[in-house]
Amino acid sequence: MLENNKSKTENIFEEICSSSNLEKSFAAAFKNKGSAGVDGVTVEMFKANLANELTRLQKELHGWSYSPQPVRRVEIPKPDGSKRKLGIPCVRDRVVQGAIKAIIEPIFDPEFSENSYGFRPKKGQQQAIAAAQKIVDSGKEYVVDIDLEKFFDRVNHDRLIFRLGQKLSDKRVLRLIGLILRSGVMEDGLVKASPEGTTQGSPLSPLLSNIVLDELDKEIEKRGIEFVRFADDCNLFVKSQAAAERVMESIKGFIEKKLKLKVNEKKSKVAKSKYVKFLGMTILRGSRAIAQASMKRMMTKVKDLIPRGTNKNLEQTIKTINVWYTGWSNYFQMTNYPSQLRVVESHIRRRLRARIVCQQKKPRYLRAKLMAMGISRKLACTTAYSNVGPWALSHKHGIERAFPNRWFKAQGLQTSSDKELPHWRNTNVWIKLTEEPCT
């Protein structure tokens, strides 16, 4: 199937290197911003001399003097405490990778599995969740949750180039992609070779990862197993524990022997869907909820955004919170339990109340603040001199009465009720959140 219409790809190198394609690729790179690579050139600096930069890049590509620079290695923390290694290519290399992606993605994407939702046009996480929900609702509640260990770092270059070559007849494109894959990594000032892997964080990497994992998709489909994959996060659904264990063992063998990748034993598991987190959600039969782990990360994020010791005033803090919460709630509005969003919003308000308490250095200042907010002298005194910490104070009647929910709304704090959310059933879910000190 990959060889269909292969003759149409004989001269796509010229399409990749065309002025219009390079210009479009830079426009996309500029829109995404991003940091500078190892050469220190930002997208703004590149744009200042755009015509000359693109002309030089085009000449280098045609003359095969183009040499991609090593990517700059950065590490970002993951929820489990480990580090995710990302690579930042130079702007000119991002332009080339984007140009390649723009031309070869329409060739490969139509033949990808319908069950693949990550990094694909007109597909996304919400659709992946909906697809998984449909499978669980059909009665397949047992999940084979497969996690690939350091997937992006372990992609086999030879297998990837072979897969590309099955569809692309223009060997120049394969050579160019090979140069990019082997460009190396700069870490702690030293350049290291990259004999395997594809840079997570580069424009071309998501497409290449789907090309690699499409082989897994086709194998699962051939076995008649229902599944949903988003990038390297793959869930397979069956009707029983025994079937799930058999599938896990079999698919693990295919991944490690055939694809030359490694299954993460600690993170992969067989369990009922209600015990599995998929894209931040827990899928139940007939409903879905925000996963406990996602709720706990939310608490940590709110704590980071609203620390006790800061010079930011309330207005600045609320603006920062709004930016984060808008994106967070837009995604997690998929939950069938609106009480989960209300828990988040309640936690935000309590952190803000604790901040206000912390800013009143002495009990008499807090008493005066409460009286200024319309609280009686007796209640203000009882609250201010209650001899408890800021976090406990933030939940006292006097504080909540002085700074009610409507007061925060008047200050501009956004809530889920400010947006048009999908219709939910009138149901609740118990979310256990550990109270924390104001630190």
Side-chain angles (χ1 to χ4, degrees):
M1 192 173 182
L2 285 173
E3 294 181 357
N4 290 345
N5 301 320
K6 188 174 178 180
S7 60
K8 294 182 180 179
T9 67
E10 288 178 353
N11 298 301
I12 61 170
F13 184 77
E14 279 73 23
E15 294 181 52
I16 290 170
C17 301
S18 68
S19 298
S20 60
N21 192 42
L22 292 174
E23 287 170 5
K24 289 177 183 177
S25 180
F26 172 74
F30 186 80
K31 183 178 179 181
N32 292 333
K33 300 299 182 182
S35 304
V38 296
D39 60 359
V41 176
T42 64
V43 288
E44 289 80 8
M45 294 164 65
F46 195 91
K47 185 179 182 180
N49 194 28
L50 184 60
N52 290 335
E53 290 285 2
L54 293 184
T55 298
R56 181 161 67 94
L57 194 55
Q58 191 176 39
K59 288 180 179 179
E60 288 180 10
L61 288 167
H62 281 297
W64 288 103
S65 60
Y66 169 72
S67 178
Q69 296 294 303
V71 298
R72 180 167 65 86
R73 176 73 80 200
V74 296
E75 293 184 343
I76 60 172
K78 295 172 68 175
D80 60 5
S82 62
K83 301 284 187 179
R84 185 188 303 279
K85 292 186 176 183
L86 300 181
I88 303 176
C90 300
V91 176
R92 67 197 318 267
D93 295 333
R94 297 207 290 265
V95 171
V96 172
Q97 291 189 40
I100 296 171
K101 179 176 182 277
I103 299 303
I104 72 170
E105 185 172 56
I107 297 170
F108 284 92
D109 188 81
E111 294 187 0
F112 286 157
S113 169
E114 287 297 316
N115 302 300
S116 168
Y117 292 86
F119 311 121
R120 297 187 62 190
K122 299 180 181 179
K123 287 199 171 191
Q125 292 167 305
Q126 286 88 344
Q127 291 160 301
I129 293 291
Q133 179 81 68
K134 186 176 180 181
I135 298 172
V136 171
D137 288 349
S138 72
K140 296 183 177 180
E141 296 183 78
Y142 286 87
V143 181
V144 179
D145 183 14
I146 296 176
D147 184 271
L148 299 177
E149 188 174 305
K150 297 181 180 178
F151 166 70
F152 287 91
D153 296 333
R154 288 189 167 142
V155 169
N156 185 285
H157 289 175
D158 292 338
R159 285 194 59 81
L160 174 55
I161 294 298
F162 174 75
R163 294 284 292 174
L164 289 165
Q166 287 183 295
K167 191 69 176 172
L168 304 177
S169 58
D170 194 331
K171 303 301 181 184
R172 294 170 297 176
V173 179
L174 302 181
R175 178 184 173 188
L176 180 58
I177 294 175
L179 287 174
I180 292 169
L181 291 172
R182 296 187 296 272
S183 62
V185 176
M186 179 173 283
E187 193 170 7
D188 298 326
L190 299 175
V191 176
K192 300 178 182 178
S194 50
E196 62 180 0
T198 174
T199 303
Q200 189 173 5
S202 68
L204 190 56
S205 182
L207 175 60
L208 297 181
S209 69
N210 274 333
I211 291 171
V212 171
L213 292 176
D214 185 60
E215 194 170 357
L216 173 62
D217 297 342
K218 296 297 192 291
E219 177 67 20
I220 298 172
E221 287 177 341
K222 186 172 73 176
R223 300 183 186 195
I225 302 169
E226 292 195 82
F227 73 101
V228 176
R229 182 176 66 80
F230 190 95
D232 57 337
D233 195 351
C234 186
N235 279 2
L236 295 78
F237 301 86
V238 294
K239 289 186 176 181
S240 70
Q241 178 81 16
E245 290 173 356
R246 286 196 301 271
V247 168
M248 170 64 87
E249 194 62 29
S250 177
I251 293 297
K252 177 187 171 186
F254 176 83
I255 290 171
E256 297 188 341
K257 293 175 184 177
K258 182 79 172 178
L259 301 186
K260 310 299 182 185
L261 298 170
K262 186 171 178 58
V263 173
N264 190 322
E265 299 280 358
K266 291 182 180 179
K267 294 184 178 179
S268 299
K269 63 180 178 181
V270 168
K272 272 199 164 184
S273 64
K274 64 181 178 180
Y275 300 118
V276 175
K277 177 173 71 72
F278 182 54
L279 301 178
M281 301 293 292
T282 296
I283 300 173
L284 312 168
R285 192 164 185 174
S287 65
R288 67 189 74 147
I290 303 172
Q292 288 282 351
S294 300
M295 294 293 287
K296 288 179 180 178
R297 283 203 300 274
M298 171 280 303
M299 291 189 69
T300 301
K301 182 66 175 179
V302 171
K303 184 176 179 179
D304 292 340
L305 292 175
I306 315 175
R308 181 175 63 177
T310 178
N311 294 325
K312 276 188 178 181
N313 59 33
L314 188 65
E315 182 182 4
Q316 291 174 313
T317 301
I318 286 177
K319 285 181 179 179
T320 302
I321 281 287
N322 283 345
V323 170
W324 167 75
Y325 185 66
T326 297
W328 191 91
S329 60
N330 280 346
Y331 177 75
F332 284 108
Q333 69 182 30
M334 290 186 289
T335 179
N336 289 117
Y337 303 97
S339 58
Q340 292 188 291
L341 294 180
R342 291 197 292 270
V343 165
V344 178
E345 293 163 7
S346 176
H347 186 61
I348 290 171
R349 288 190 294 268
R350 186 170 180 185
R351 288 290 306 184
L352 290 172
R353 290 186 184 105
R355 161 78 72 78
I356 294 170
V357 170
C358 291
Q359 289 174 341
Q360 316 309 309
K361 302 298 183 183
K362 295 184 179 181
R364 66 174 183 270
Y365 298 155
L366 179 58
R367 180 194 63 190
K369 179 74 172 178
L370 294 176
M371 291 175 65
M373 296 301 294
I375 302 302
S376 68
R377 182 180 182 86
K378 181 179 179 181
L379 181 56
C381 289
T382 302
T383 304
Y385 293 97
S386 57
N387 198 31
V388 295
W391 183 246
L393 263 177
S394 67
H395 201 44
K396 290 285 187 179
H397 176 60
I399 299 296
E400 292 185 338
R401 187 172 171 184
F403 305 100
N405 296 359
R406 64 178 180 276
W407 184 83
F408 286 107
K409 190 175 180 65
Q411 308 309 306
L413 185 66
Q414 293 182 7
T415 64
S416 58
S417 60
D418 297 330
K419 299 172 290 187
E420 289 186 12
L421 298 180
H423 174 70
W424 284 307
R425 294 178 303 163
N426 185 22
T427 184
N428 289 314
V429 64
W430 172 249
I431 302 296
K432 184 180 180 181
L433 298 175
T434 305
E435 292 193 349
E436 56 178 328
C438 178
T439 57

